[in-house]
Amino acid sequence: MEHSVMEIAKWFFFAVMVMVMFSLGIFFIQMQDINPYKQTVNYTIERSGGLTQDAVKLLDEESQTKYHNKYTVQYLEPVPPSTAGAVMVDGKTYMVKSYSPQMRYGTEVLYRVESRFDIPIFGIGAIKNTFYGTSVSQIRGS
């Protein structure tokens, strides 16, 4: 009897470890999606002259269709350090906005991508993360 309880415990432990490894594998596969999405954000900002309303709409559609609404992109507007509600990124202060105005050619655009990665096993829920990036407006005549 004692031998069979130990055998069941070993198999249970093995099953739990397999589920944990499977869950971690899915998580890391989802994490790799951020690079192509950030590349899409960069191209969209370059072609739109900033993170404009139209650019955000295109990026939201991309997130919805290809990534199951996993990503949300926001513009970071530089503001003075004492501004209420501002966020710090690399020692500089920014106000988070849903979009930017159209920027002149060569203007750097700082943005952040908020992500939500679902963990399907054990009802853990989701892991939220924030990624930052920059792009440059490539629209002439603006």
Side-chain angles (χ1 to χ4, degrees):
M1 178 76 175
E2 199 174 297
H3 181 65
S4 64
V5 171
M6 192 66 161
E7 191 69 26
I8 291 171
K10 286 180 187 177
W11 279 104
F12 178 74
F13 181 73
F14 176 74
V16 168
M17 291 306 294
V18 167
M19 290 174 66
V20 166
M21 295 302 286
F22 179 73
S23 183
L24 283 173
I26 289 173
F27 172 72
F28 287 119
I29 288 170
Q30 288 183 26
M31 285 286 291
Q32 288 181 351
D33 285 347
I34 188 64
N35 293 327
Y37 186 74
K38 280 180 66 177
Q39 191 64 43
T40 301
V41 172
N42 290 339
Y43 288 147
T44 304
I45 288 172
E46 289 172 4
R47 289 182 296 220
S48 300
L51 194 56
T52 63
Q53 279 184 306
D54 292 336
V56 170
K57 183 178 175 185
L58 287 170
L59 292 167
D60 286 345
E61 289 171 4
E62 177 91 4
S63 176
Q64 183 177 10
T65 58
K66 290 188 179 177
Y67 303 103
H68 310 291
N69 269 342
K70 197 183 311 180
Y71 301 113
T72 305
V73 64
Q74 300 165 326
Y75 171 62
L76 296 177
E77 179 180 43
V79 293
S82 61
T83 305
V87 297
M88 294 285 288
V89 179
D90 292 334
K92 296 180 182 172
T93 311
Y94 299 93
M95 184 61 67
V96 178
K97 304 255 180 156
S98 54
Y99 61 90
S100 75
Q102 184 149 13
M103 307 286 203
R104 293 182 359 191
Y105 178 82
T107 304
E108 187 175 74
V109 179
L110 181 66
Y111 63 88
R112 80 176 182 188
V113 177
E114 292 186 341
S115 63
R116 176 189 161 103
F117 300 107
D118 294 322
I119 305 297
I121 297 183
F122 298 128
I124 293 174
I127 295 175
K128 296 179 181 179
N129 208 343
T130 303
F131 301 92
Y132 296 91
T134 58
S135 188
V136 177
S137 172
Q138 297 291 318
I139 299 294
R140 291 202 182 271
S142 304

